[in-house]
Amino acid sequence: MKKFPENFMLGASTAAHQVEGNNIHSDYWAQEQMEHSSFVEPSLDAVDHYHHYEEDIRLMAEAGLNAYRFSIEWARIEPEEGKFDIEELEHYRKVIRCCRANGIEPVVTLLHFTSPRWLIEKGGWEAESTVTYFARYCAYVVIQLGEELNYVCTINEANMGLQVAAIGRRYMQQMQKQAAEQKNGGSAEKEGTAAEKLEGSVQVGLNMESLLKRQKAVEEENIQVFGTANPQIFVSSRTPEGDLLVMRAHEAARDAMKAIRPDLKIGLTLSLHDIQAQPGGEKAAEKEWEEEFRHYLPFIRNDDFLGVQNYTRTLMGADGSLPAPEGAELTQMNYEFYPEALEHVIRKVAEEFQGELLVTENGIATADDTRRVEFIRRALQGVQACIQDGIPVKGYMHWSLLDNFEWQKGFSMMFGLIAVDRKTRTRYPKPSLAYLGSWRQA
Protein backbone atom coordinates (compact mmCIF):
# COMPACT_ATOMS: atom_id res chain seq x y z
CA MET A 1 0.00 0.00 0.00
CA LYS A 2 1.26 3.46 -0.92
CA LYS A 3 0.35 5.82 1.91
CA PHE A 4 -1.06 9.33 1.56
CA PRO A 5 1.25 12.17 2.58
CA GLU A 6 0.92 13.64 6.03
CA ASN A 7 -0.89 16.77 4.81
CA PHE A 8 -3.59 14.79 2.94
CA MET A 9 -6.91 15.03 4.81
CA LEU A 10 -7.94 11.45 5.55
CA GLY A 11 -10.98 11.12 7.74
CA ALA A 12 -14.69 10.45 8.09
CA SER A 13 -18.00 12.28 7.83
CA THR A 14 -21.25 12.61 9.76
CA ALA A 15 -24.37 14.79 9.62
CA ALA A 16 -25.77 16.41 12.74
CA HIS A 17 -29.33 15.07 12.54
CA GLN A 18 -28.13 11.54 11.84
CA VAL A 19 -25.84 11.27 14.86
CA GLU A 20 -26.47 13.99 17.48
CA GLY A 21 -30.01 13.21 18.63
CA ASN A 22 -32.91 15.40 19.78
CA ASN A 23 -32.80 17.88 16.94
CA ILE A 24 -36.23 19.01 18.07
CA HIS A 25 -36.55 22.27 16.13
CA SER A 26 -35.92 20.76 12.69
CA ASP A 27 -38.29 19.86 9.87
CA TYR A 28 -37.17 16.24 9.92
CA TRP A 29 -37.91 15.88 13.64
CA ALA A 30 -41.46 17.12 12.97
CA GLN A 31 -41.92 14.69 10.08
CA GLU A 32 -40.63 11.75 12.11
CA GLN A 33 -43.28 12.32 14.78
CA MET A 34 -46.19 12.40 12.33
CA GLU A 35 -48.78 9.62 12.40
CA HIS A 36 -48.36 9.04 8.68
CA SER A 37 -44.61 9.49 8.61
CA SER A 38 -42.60 7.88 5.81
CA PHE A 39 -39.77 7.36 8.32
CA VAL A 40 -39.64 3.76 9.52
CA GLU A 41 -38.65 5.06 12.98
CA PRO A 42 -37.81 8.42 14.60
CA SER A 43 -34.26 9.62 15.23
CA LEU A 44 -34.79 10.34 18.96
CA ASP A 45 -31.35 10.25 20.64
CA ALA A 46 -29.76 8.95 17.40
CA VAL A 47 -26.32 7.73 18.57
CA ASP A 48 -25.96 10.66 21.01
CA HIS A 49 -22.90 12.12 19.30
CA TYR A 50 -23.95 15.42 20.86
CA HIS A 51 -22.72 14.13 24.22
CA HIS A 52 -20.13 11.64 22.95
CA TYR A 53 -18.28 13.77 20.38
CA GLU A 54 -15.08 13.80 22.47
CA GLU A 55 -14.94 10.00 22.53
CA ASP A 56 -15.79 9.73 18.85
CA ILE A 57 -13.14 12.25 17.81
CA ARG A 58 -10.56 10.55 20.02
CA LEU A 59 -11.29 7.21 18.34
CA MET A 60 -10.66 8.83 14.96
CA ALA A 61 -7.35 10.27 16.11
CA GLU A 62 -6.23 6.98 17.66
CA ALA A 63 -6.91 5.26 14.33
CA GLY A 64 -4.61 7.73 12.56
CA LEU A 65 -7.22 9.94 10.89
CA ASN A 66 -6.66 13.69 10.63
CA ALA A 67 -9.91 15.16 9.26
CA TYR A 68 -13.54 15.19 10.36
CA ARG A 69 -16.38 16.50 8.25
CA PHE A 70 -19.45 17.23 10.36
CA SER A 71 -22.40 19.58 10.15
CA ILE A 72 -23.61 22.45 12.29
CA GLU A 73 -27.36 22.17 12.74
CA TRP A 74 -29.17 25.34 11.63
CA ALA A 75 -32.24 24.37 13.69
CA ARG A 76 -30.10 24.39 16.85
CA ILE A 77 -28.39 27.70 16.07
CA GLU A 78 -31.59 29.51 15.00
CA PRO A 79 -34.53 27.57 16.52
CA GLU A 80 -36.85 30.54 15.95
CA GLU A 81 -36.56 32.99 13.07
CA GLY A 82 -34.05 35.67 14.01
CA LYS A 83 -33.33 34.24 17.48
CA PHE A 84 -29.85 32.72 17.75
CA ASP A 85 -28.89 30.31 20.52
CA ILE A 86 -25.41 31.17 21.76
CA GLU A 87 -25.21 28.04 23.95
CA GLU A 88 -25.67 25.79 20.93
CA LEU A 89 -23.10 27.79 19.03
CA GLU A 90 -20.65 27.30 21.89
CA HIS A 91 -21.30 23.55 21.70
CA TYR A 92 -19.98 23.52 18.16
CA ARG A 93 -17.01 25.64 19.20
CA LYS A 94 -16.17 22.86 21.67
CA VAL A 95 -16.45 20.25 18.89
CA ILE A 96 -14.10 22.26 16.66
CA ARG A 97 -11.58 22.73 19.47
CA CYS A 98 -11.79 19.04 20.34
CA CYS A 99 -10.85 18.28 16.75
CA ARG A 100 -7.87 20.65 16.94
CA ALA A 101 -6.73 19.15 20.24
CA ASN A 102 -6.68 15.72 18.61
CA GLY A 103 -4.80 16.83 15.47
CA ILE A 104 -7.93 16.65 13.32
CA GLU A 105 -8.93 19.24 10.70
CA PRO A 106 -12.63 20.18 11.06
CA VAL A 107 -14.51 20.47 7.76
CA VAL A 108 -17.86 22.03 8.59
CA THR A 109 -21.08 21.73 6.59
CA LEU A 110 -23.69 24.40 7.32
CA LEU A 111 -26.72 22.61 5.83
CA HIS A 112 -26.90 18.82 5.67
CA PHE A 113 -30.52 18.27 4.51
CA THR A 114 -32.30 19.39 7.71
CA SER A 115 -33.69 22.91 8.14
CA PRO A 116 -35.39 24.78 10.97
CA ARG A 117 -39.10 24.04 11.05
CA TRP A 118 -39.88 27.76 10.85
CA LEU A 119 -38.06 28.01 7.51
CA ILE A 120 -40.34 25.37 5.99
CA GLU A 121 -43.41 27.16 7.35
CA LYS A 122 -42.20 30.23 5.42
CA GLY A 123 -41.98 28.37 2.10
CA GLY A 124 -38.79 26.36 2.52
CA TRP A 125 -36.48 25.62 -0.38
CA GLU A 126 -38.78 27.02 -3.08
CA ALA A 127 -39.17 30.43 -1.36
CA GLU A 128 -37.06 33.43 -2.37
CA SER A 129 -36.73 34.50 1.27
CA THR A 130 -34.69 31.37 2.00
CA VAL A 131 -31.73 32.84 0.12
CA THR A 132 -31.58 35.72 2.60
CA TYR A 133 -32.26 33.58 5.66
CA PHE A 134 -29.55 31.06 4.76
CA ALA A 135 -26.93 33.74 4.06
CA ARG A 136 -27.73 35.43 7.38
CA TYR A 137 -27.32 32.16 9.30
CA CYS A 138 -24.03 31.31 7.57
CA ALA A 139 -22.65 34.78 8.20
CA TYR A 140 -23.58 34.52 11.88
CA VAL A 141 -21.75 31.20 12.25
CA VAL A 142 -18.61 32.56 10.56
CA ILE A 143 -18.64 35.73 12.63
CA GLN A 144 -18.67 33.56 15.74
CA LEU A 145 -16.56 30.57 14.66
CA GLY A 146 -14.82 31.55 11.45
CA GLU A 147 -11.40 32.16 12.97
CA GLU A 148 -11.31 28.51 14.05
CA LEU A 149 -12.10 27.06 10.61
CA ASN A 150 -10.33 26.58 7.30
CA TYR A 151 -12.95 24.65 5.29
CA VAL A 152 -16.71 25.23 5.06
CA CYS A 153 -19.27 23.44 2.88
CA THR A 154 -22.36 25.59 2.49
CA ILE A 155 -24.83 22.92 1.35
CA ASN A 156 -24.64 19.13 1.30
CA GLU A 157 -25.61 17.51 -2.00
CA ALA A 158 -27.09 20.68 -3.46
CA ASN A 159 -28.40 18.63 -6.40
CA MET A 160 -30.39 16.15 -4.30
CA GLY A 161 -33.78 17.80 -4.94
CA LEU A 162 -33.49 17.21 -8.69
CA GLN A 163 -32.42 13.60 -8.10
CA VAL A 164 -35.46 13.03 -5.86
CA ALA A 165 -37.71 14.59 -8.51
CA ALA A 166 -36.24 12.27 -11.15
CA ILE A 167 -36.70 9.13 -9.07
CA GLY A 168 -40.29 10.14 -8.33
CA ARG A 169 -41.00 10.49 -12.05
CA ARG A 170 -39.39 7.13 -12.79
CA TYR A 171 -41.39 5.46 -10.02
CA MET A 172 -44.70 6.79 -11.35
CA GLN A 173 -43.79 5.76 -14.90
CA GLN A 174 -42.93 2.26 -13.70
CA MET A 175 -46.20 1.94 -11.79
CA GLN A 176 -48.17 3.12 -14.83
CA LYS A 177 -46.35 0.61 -17.03
CA GLN A 178 -47.06 -2.22 -14.61
CA ALA A 179 -50.72 -1.24 -14.37
CA ALA A 180 -50.98 -1.39 -18.17
CA GLU A 181 -49.29 -4.80 -18.23
CA GLN A 182 -51.69 -6.16 -15.60
CA LYS A 183 -54.66 -4.79 -17.53
CA ASN A 184 -53.44 -6.67 -20.60
CA GLY A 185 -53.10 -9.89 -18.66
CA GLY A 186 -49.33 -9.74 -18.03
CA SER A 187 -47.51 -10.23 -14.76
CA ALA A 188 -46.16 -7.22 -12.92
CA GLU A 189 -43.29 -6.73 -10.54
CA LYS A 190 -44.32 -6.24 -6.93
CA GLU A 191 -44.62 -2.57 -6.05
CA GLY A 192 -42.26 -2.83 -3.08
CA THR A 193 -39.57 -4.50 -5.20
CA ALA A 194 -39.86 -1.80 -7.85
CA ALA A 195 -39.54 0.91 -5.22
CA GLU A 196 -36.46 -0.71 -3.68
CA LYS A 197 -34.73 -0.87 -7.07
CA LEU A 198 -35.37 2.82 -7.71
CA GLU A 199 -34.31 3.80 -4.18
CA GLY A 200 -30.97 2.19 -4.97
CA SER A 201 -30.41 4.80 -7.68
CA VAL A 202 -30.42 7.83 -5.38
CA GLN A 203 -27.72 8.47 -2.77
CA VAL A 204 -29.97 9.08 0.26
CA GLY A 205 -32.26 6.86 2.36
CA LEU A 206 -35.79 7.15 0.93
CA ASN A 207 -39.05 5.17 1.25
CA MET A 208 -40.75 5.84 -2.09
CA GLU A 209 -43.51 3.26 -1.66
CA SER A 210 -44.52 4.62 1.74
CA LEU A 211 -44.38 8.21 0.50
CA LEU A 212 -46.76 7.63 -2.39
CA LYS A 213 -49.20 5.20 -0.77
CA ARG A 214 -49.94 7.60 2.09
CA GLN A 215 -49.84 10.78 0.06
CA LYS A 216 -53.33 12.11 0.86
CA ALA A 217 -53.08 11.40 4.59
CA VAL A 218 -49.61 12.93 4.68
CA GLU A 219 -50.80 16.08 2.93
CA GLU A 220 -53.57 16.57 5.50
CA GLU A 221 -51.13 16.10 8.36
CA ASN A 222 -48.59 18.42 6.71
CA ILE A 223 -51.18 21.20 6.77
CA GLN A 224 -51.52 20.74 10.52
CA VAL A 225 -47.76 20.63 11.15
CA PHE A 226 -46.29 23.02 8.55
CA GLY A 227 -49.31 24.97 7.35
CA THR A 228 -49.03 23.57 3.82
CA ALA A 229 -49.88 20.28 2.13
CA ASN A 230 -46.51 20.09 0.41
CA PRO A 231 -43.74 21.43 2.65
CA GLN A 232 -40.61 22.22 0.67
CA ILE A 233 -37.91 20.58 2.75
CA PHE A 234 -34.46 20.38 1.23
CA VAL A 235 -34.95 16.88 -0.22
CA SER A 236 -38.42 17.54 -1.62
CA SER A 237 -38.79 17.06 -5.36
CA ARG A 238 -37.17 20.25 -6.61
CA THR A 239 -38.56 22.40 -9.40
CA PRO A 240 -36.06 23.87 -11.91
CA GLU A 241 -36.67 27.25 -10.27
CA GLY A 242 -36.05 25.79 -6.81
CA ASP A 243 -32.87 24.15 -8.05
CA LEU A 244 -31.52 27.54 -9.10
CA LEU A 245 -32.71 29.07 -5.83
CA VAL A 246 -30.52 26.56 -3.94
CA MET A 247 -27.56 27.71 -6.03
CA ARG A 248 -28.30 31.36 -5.33
CA ALA A 249 -28.52 30.55 -1.62
CA HIS A 250 -25.07 28.98 -1.89
CA GLU A 251 -23.65 32.01 -3.71
CA ALA A 252 -25.20 34.46 -1.24
CA ALA A 253 -23.87 32.47 1.73
CA ARG A 254 -20.41 32.13 0.17
CA ASP A 255 -20.18 35.85 -0.55
CA ALA A 256 -21.41 36.78 2.95
CA MET A 257 -18.83 34.51 4.59
CA LYS A 258 -16.01 35.68 2.31
CA ALA A 259 -16.77 39.28 3.31
CA ILE A 260 -16.02 38.24 6.89
CA ARG A 261 -13.19 35.75 6.28
CA PRO A 262 -11.72 36.22 2.78
CA ASP A 263 -9.22 33.39 3.28
CA LEU A 264 -11.84 30.82 4.34
CA LYS A 265 -12.07 27.97 1.82
CA ILE A 266 -15.71 27.59 0.81
CA GLY A 267 -17.50 25.15 -1.46
CA LEU A 268 -20.53 22.89 -1.63
CA THR A 269 -20.98 19.16 -2.18
CA LEU A 270 -22.75 17.28 -4.96
CA SER A 271 -24.17 13.77 -5.16
CA LEU A 272 -22.48 12.32 -8.23
CA HIS A 273 -22.87 8.94 -9.90
CA ASP A 274 -20.40 7.28 -12.22
CA ILE A 275 -22.71 7.47 -15.24
CA GLN A 276 -21.78 4.78 -17.75
CA ALA A 277 -23.48 4.74 -21.14
CA GLN A 278 -24.48 1.34 -22.43
CA PRO A 279 -25.08 0.77 -26.17
CA GLY A 280 -27.75 3.23 -27.24
CA GLY A 281 -27.59 5.15 -23.97
CA GLU A 282 -25.03 7.77 -24.92
CA LYS A 283 -27.49 10.67 -25.23
CA ALA A 284 -29.29 9.69 -22.04
CA ALA A 285 -25.97 9.55 -20.18
CA GLU A 286 -24.96 12.98 -21.44
CA LYS A 287 -28.32 14.43 -20.38
CA GLU A 288 -28.01 12.84 -16.94
CA TRP A 289 -24.53 14.30 -16.37
CA GLU A 290 -25.75 17.72 -17.51
CA GLU A 291 -28.52 17.62 -14.90
CA GLU A 292 -26.43 16.06 -12.15
CA PHE A 293 -23.29 18.17 -12.53
CA ARG A 294 -22.57 20.34 -15.53
CA HIS A 295 -25.39 22.88 -15.23
CA TYR A 296 -24.10 23.82 -11.75
CA LEU A 297 -20.70 24.95 -13.04
CA PRO A 298 -21.59 28.65 -13.45
CA PHE A 299 -22.57 28.77 -9.78
CA ILE A 300 -19.50 27.03 -8.36
CA ARG A 301 -16.68 28.37 -10.57
CA ASN A 302 -15.73 30.89 -7.88
CA ASP A 303 -15.69 28.27 -5.11
CA ASP A 304 -12.41 27.22 -3.52
CA PHE A 305 -13.23 23.53 -3.66
CA LEU A 306 -15.93 21.03 -4.58
CA GLY A 307 -17.06 18.22 -2.31
CA VAL A 308 -17.43 15.03 -4.38
CA GLN A 309 -19.90 12.48 -2.98
CA ASN A 310 -20.13 9.11 -4.68
CA TYR A 311 -21.28 5.63 -3.74
CA THR A 312 -21.81 3.69 -6.96
CA ARG A 313 -22.30 3.84 -10.73
CA THR A 314 -25.39 4.27 -12.91
CA LEU A 315 -25.74 2.35 -16.16
CA MET A 316 -27.66 4.29 -18.79
CA GLY A 317 -29.63 2.79 -21.65
CA ALA A 318 -31.60 4.53 -24.36
CA ASP A 319 -34.63 4.89 -22.05
CA GLY A 320 -32.74 5.91 -18.93
CA SER A 321 -31.08 4.19 -15.99
CA LEU A 322 -30.74 0.42 -15.97
CA PRO A 323 -30.70 -2.02 -13.04
CA ALA A 324 -27.41 -3.34 -11.72
CA PRO A 325 -26.00 -6.21 -13.80
CA GLU A 326 -27.38 -9.67 -13.10
CA GLY A 327 -25.57 -11.21 -10.14
CA ALA A 328 -23.90 -7.95 -9.06
CA GLU A 329 -23.15 -7.56 -5.36
CA LEU A 330 -25.60 -5.10 -3.79
CA THR A 331 -25.23 -3.18 -0.54
CA GLN A 332 -27.92 -2.77 2.12
CA MET A 333 -29.03 0.37 0.26
CA ASN A 334 -29.47 -1.62 -2.98
CA TYR A 335 -26.47 0.15 -4.51
CA GLU A 336 -24.16 -1.89 -6.68
CA PHE A 337 -20.84 -2.57 -4.91
CA TYR A 338 -18.58 -0.63 -7.27
CA PRO A 339 -15.79 1.33 -5.51
CA GLU A 340 -14.12 2.16 -8.84
CA ALA A 341 -16.92 4.68 -9.40
CA LEU A 342 -15.16 7.25 -7.24
CA GLU A 343 -12.06 7.47 -9.43
CA HIS A 344 -14.19 7.75 -12.56
CA VAL A 345 -16.25 10.59 -11.07
CA ILE A 346 -13.20 12.51 -9.83
CA ARG A 347 -11.63 12.36 -13.29
CA LYS A 348 -14.82 13.49 -15.00
CA VAL A 349 -15.39 16.38 -12.59
CA ALA A 350 -11.77 17.53 -12.93
CA GLU A 351 -12.23 17.94 -16.68
CA GLU A 352 -14.44 20.98 -16.03
CA PHE A 353 -13.99 22.13 -12.42
CA GLN A 354 -10.61 23.73 -11.82
CA GLY A 355 -10.55 24.09 -8.02
CA GLU A 356 -9.50 21.70 -5.29
CA LEU A 357 -11.50 18.51 -4.81
CA LEU A 358 -12.43 16.92 -1.50
CA VAL A 359 -14.12 13.54 -1.34
CA THR A 360 -16.65 14.46 1.33
CA GLU A 361 -18.61 11.20 1.21
CA ASN A 362 -17.86 7.70 -0.09
CA GLY A 363 -18.82 4.47 1.58
CA ILE A 364 -20.92 1.35 1.82
CA ALA A 365 -23.86 0.11 3.91
CA THR A 366 -23.04 -3.46 4.93
CA ALA A 367 -23.04 -5.73 7.97
CA ASP A 368 -19.86 -7.36 6.62
CA ASP A 369 -16.95 -5.13 7.58
CA THR A 370 -14.55 -7.11 5.38
CA ARG A 371 -16.49 -5.75 2.39
CA ARG A 372 -16.10 -2.21 3.76
CA VAL A 373 -12.35 -2.76 4.00
CA GLU A 374 -12.27 -3.96 0.41
CA PHE A 375 -14.39 -1.01 -0.70
CA ILE A 376 -12.00 1.42 1.00
CA ARG A 377 -8.96 -0.31 -0.50
CA ARG A 378 -10.19 -0.04 -4.06
CA ALA A 379 -11.65 3.46 -3.64
CA LEU A 380 -8.40 4.84 -2.19
CA GLN A 381 -6.32 3.22 -4.92
CA GLY A 382 -8.46 5.20 -7.36
CA VAL A 383 -7.94 8.43 -5.42
CA GLN A 384 -4.19 7.90 -5.45
CA ALA A 385 -4.23 7.27 -9.21
CA CYS A 386 -5.99 10.62 -9.67
CA ILE A 387 -3.44 12.43 -7.52
CA GLN A 388 -0.57 10.83 -9.44
CA ASP A 389 -2.08 12.26 -12.62
CA GLY A 390 -2.05 15.76 -11.18
CA ILE A 391 -5.71 16.06 -10.11
CA PRO A 392 -5.84 18.24 -6.95
CA VAL A 393 -7.64 15.85 -4.59
CA LYS A 394 -6.88 17.22 -1.11
CA GLY A 395 -8.85 14.86 1.08
CA TYR A 396 -11.03 11.78 1.51
CA MET A 397 -13.70 11.59 4.20
CA HIS A 398 -15.43 8.24 4.47
CA TRP A 399 -19.15 7.93 5.06
CA SER A 400 -19.64 7.38 7.84
CA LEU A 401 -17.78 7.60 11.12
CA LEU A 402 -20.68 5.96 12.96
CA ASP A 403 -23.54 3.61 12.21
CA ASN A 404 -26.36 6.14 12.31
CA PHE A 405 -29.86 7.27 11.36
CA GLU A 406 -30.15 6.81 7.60
CA TRP A 407 -33.06 9.20 7.16
CA GLN A 408 -36.32 7.49 6.18
CA LYS A 409 -34.72 4.06 6.46
CA GLY A 410 -33.95 4.48 10.15
CA PHE A 411 -31.06 2.75 11.89
CA SER A 412 -30.87 -0.43 9.81
CA MET A 413 -28.24 0.76 7.30
CA MET A 414 -24.72 0.05 8.60
CA PHE A 415 -22.45 2.68 7.03
CA GLY A 416 -20.21 3.21 10.03
CA LEU A 417 -16.55 2.67 10.79
CA ILE A 418 -17.75 2.46 14.39
CA ALA A 419 -20.76 0.48 15.64
CA VAL A 420 -22.87 1.90 18.48
CA ASP A 421 -25.01 0.12 21.06
CA ARG A 422 -27.86 2.62 21.16
CA LYS A 423 -29.04 1.46 24.60
CA THR A 424 -25.72 1.88 26.38
CA ARG A 425 -24.11 4.38 23.93
CA THR A 426 -21.04 2.11 23.87
CA ARG A 427 -18.79 2.55 20.82
CA TYR A 428 -17.27 -0.47 19.06
CA PRO A 429 -14.66 0.46 16.45
CA LYS A 430 -14.70 -1.87 13.47
CA PRO A 431 -11.52 -3.13 11.78
CA SER A 432 -12.30 -0.79 8.87
CA LEU A 433 -11.59 2.26 11.08
CA ALA A 434 -7.99 1.21 11.73
CA TYR A 435 -7.64 0.08 8.12
CA LEU A 436 -8.64 3.52 6.83
CA GLY A 437 -6.18 5.18 9.21
CA SER A 438 -3.38 2.87 8.04
CA TRP A 439 -3.39 4.62 4.64
CA ARG A 440 -1.92 7.78 6.14
CA GLN A 441 1.73 8.39 6.87
CA ALA A 442 2.33 8.83 10.59
Side-chain angles (χ1 to χ4, degrees), residues 140-161:
Y140 176 79
V141 171
V142 169
I143 288 170
Q144 300 295 328
L145 302 178
E147 290 301 320
E148 310 202 32
L149 297 171
N150 295 317
Y151 287 89
V152 168
C153 306
T154 56
I155 297 172
N156 177 71
E157 294 185 337
N159 56 347
M160 182 53 65

Side-chain angles (χ1 to χ4, degrees), residues 220-263:
E220 292 174 354
E221 199 168 6
N222 279 335
I223 292 172
Q224 297 173 16
V225 174
F226 294 106
T228 175
N230 295 297
Q232 294 300 316
I233 67 170
F234 189 78
V235 295
S236 296
S237 294
R238 194 92 299 124
T239 65
E241 294 78 17
D243 178 55
L244 296 181
L245 182 142
V246 170
M247 287 296 106
R248 287 191 288 109
H250 160 68
E251 288 184 309
R254 180 194 64 207
D255 294 347
M257 289 187 286
K258 284 285 190 181
I260 300 160
R261 269 282 314 275
D263 59 331

Side-chain angles (χ1 to χ4, degrees), residues 234-417:
F234 189 78
V235 295
S236 296
S237 294
R238 194 92 299 124
T239 65
E241 294 78 17
D243 178 55
L244 296 181
L245 182 142
V246 170
M247 287 296 106
R248 287 191 288 109
H250 160 68
E251 288 184 309
R254 180 194 64 207
D255 294 347
M257 289 187 286
K258 284 285 190 181
I260 300 160
R261 269 282 314 275
D263 59 331
L264 189 63
K265 292 190 175 183
I266 300 173
L268 52 64
T269 83
L270 294 174
S271 169
L272 300 170
H273 297 77
D274 175 17
I275 300 168
Q276 298 183 7
Q278 303 304 288
E282 292 78 9
K283 287 186 178 179
E286 188 68 17
K287 181 181 177 183
E288 188 81 357
W289 186 246
E290 174 69 28
E291 182 171 284
E292 190 162 285
F293 173 71
R294 190 174 288 123
H295 85 275
Y296 295 110
L297 281 169
F299 302 96
I300 64 175
R301 287 195 192 280
N302 293 326
D303 291 0
D304 299 295
F305 69 91
L306 173 66
V308 174
Q309 304 195 172
N310 168 265
Y311 291 85
T312 190
R313 66 175 173 175
T314 298
L315 303 178
M316 296 296 292
D319 297 322
S321 61
L322 301 171
E326 190 72 28
E329 179 182 353
L330 301 180
T331 72
Q332 291 176 332
M333 291 284 286
N334 263 338
Y335 303 161
E336 181 186 357
F337 182 99
Y338 192 77
E340 290 75 17
L342 179 60
E343 177 184 355
H344 299 165
V345 165
I346 290 171
R347 291 185 182 279
K348 195 165 179 63
V349 166
E351 292 174 5
E352 298 178 270
F353 181 79
Q354 303 305 313
E356 293 182 359
L357 299 178
L358 296 181
V359 177
T360 41
E361 287 185 27
N362 176 249
I364 175 178
T366 179
D368 183 353
D369 198 54
T370 65
R371 299 309 293 152
R372 192 177 342 272
V373 167
E374 177 63 10
F375 188 95
I376 291 170
R377 183 184 71 81
R378 286 157 58 179
L380 291 185
Q381 283 180 340
V383 172
Q384 289 187 338
C386 291
I387 294 171
Q388 288 169 3
D389 288 342
I391 298 173
V393 185
K394 301 300 182 181
Y396 172 94
M397 279 144 277
H398 189 80
W399 186 270
S400 175
L401 176 62
L402 303 153
D403 284 340
N404 59 46
F405 181 72
E406 183 52 39
W407 309 116
Q408 292 176 4
K409 293 185 179 294
F411 292 96
S412 61
M413 303 290 110
M414 300 176 188
F415 274 102
L417 299 164

